[in-house]
Amino acid sequence: MIRRTPRVGRTSRSGVATLVSGTSWQAVSQLIPLVVNLALTPYIIHGLGPARYSVFLLVTSIATMLGQFDGGIGQSALRFFTINAGRGDAAATTRLLCTVTVVVAGFGAALTTVAFVFTDDILRFFRLAPDLVDESGLLLRVLCALVGVLLLRNVFNSVLIATLRFRITATAIVVGYLVYAVGLVLCVERGWGLYGIAATMIVQQLLGTAITLPPALRLLDRRGF
């Protein structure tokens, strides 16, 4: 009996190509935000003023902290999406996605509700200047609502990552930060303040969702819904 030798070379080259491609896109998606933030920070501090910029940092820090409280469900879902992708089981991926989406949506709705109810109390605790309260309150409510949207989008992004679609997720991040940079410059130049920043972040998240959601949906199986 003649045994065929496995084509290790081709598999190895394919694996290396995938690794290089994924690493490159991930590096770009991490480098662009770093460059944008470093380049714009002095300009934004000067343009918004120390008081308004401090509020901006405070509110974004609160929103970022809340965005970390997903209970590890995102990483767990990614693990099983990867296993299902290796098996070619799109129906199982879809079933898990539906379950996780319901859980994350419920958490996001609860987070948004709490933010809308307690925003005034949170801002009062930090003793903000009276002339900044209204725009700070709007920004905090908007960012907390966007945290829920981002958590949901990350679930769908996990499906893309599990199937090695790094280019799509990286493109969404890069485009989002370019929108963020342009929006911040306009906020400073036009004097829109924190109202403009809130609008910029809404556009940023909507555009990122428009880039990643359709490709993720195409990887699902109707039998899993």
Side-chain angles (χ1 to χ4, degrees):
M1 180 181 293
I2 300 176
R3 295 182 180 180
R4 294 185 178 181
T5 303
R7 297 181 179 180
V8 178
R10 178 178 297 181
T11 303
S12 177
R13 286 196 297 271
S14 176
V16 170
T18 300
L19 178 62
V20 171
S21 175
T23 302
S24 300
W25 282 111
Q26 292 286 62
V28 169
S29 66
Q30 293 176 7
L31 181 62
I32 295 298
L34 178 62
V35 171
V36 169
N37 285 324
L38 287 177
L40 284 182
T41 295
Y43 171 78
I44 299 302
I45 293 175
H46 176 74
L48 293 179
R52 187 169 276 106
Y53 182 75
S54 298
V55 173
F56 170 60
L57 284 183
L58 172 65
V59 173
T60 52
S61 296
I62 293 174
T64 301
M65 179 185 66
L66 294 176
Q68 306 302 315
F69 294 151
D70 68 343
I73 192 171
Q75 291 297 320
S76 299
L78 175 59
R79 176 181 182 274
F80 286 102
F81 287 152
T82 304
I83 293 173
N84 293 334
R87 295 172 176 169
D89 194 346
T93 292
T94 306
R95 285 194 297 271
L96 178 59
L97 178 71
C98 291
T99 302
V100 174
T101 297
V102 171
V103 174
V104 172
F107 172 75
L111 175 64
T112 303
T113 301
V114 170
F116 271 76
V117 171
F118 292 102
T119 289
D120 293 337
D121 297 310
I122 294 172
L123 297 180
R124 193 178 301 114
F125 173 80
F126 288 105
R127 300 179 181 180
L128 301 184
D131 59 323
L132 295 177
V133 170
D134 289 341
E135 53 187 304
S136 302
L138 175 67
L139 181 61
L140 180 57
R141 289 184 173 96
V142 166
L143 288 187
C144 287
L146 290 179
V147 164
V149 173
L150 184 58
L151 289 174
L152 275 175
R153 197 178 89 194
N154 284 342
V155 175
F156 287 85
N157 286 356
S158 295
V159 176
L160 295 172
I161 293 172
T163 53
L164 308 180
R165 266 73 171 184
F166 300 109
R167 177 179 59 83
I168 299 173
T169 55
T171 299
I173 293 174
V174 171
V175 171
Y177 264 87
L178 292 178
V179 170
Y180 175 74
V182 172
L184 287 183
V185 171
L186 288 175
C187 289
V188 171
E189 297 298 326
R190 302 294 178 87
W192 294 340
L194 300 183
Y195 293 117
I197 292 178
T200 297
M201 291 188 169
I202 291 174
V203 174
Q204 180 188 24
Q205 294 303 326
L206 289 178
L207 189 56
T209 301
I211 292 173
T212 58
L213 187 59
L217 291 176
R218 287 195 289 269
L219 296 172
L220 303 181
D221 190 328
R222 293 180 180 179
R223 294 173 299 172
F225 285 105

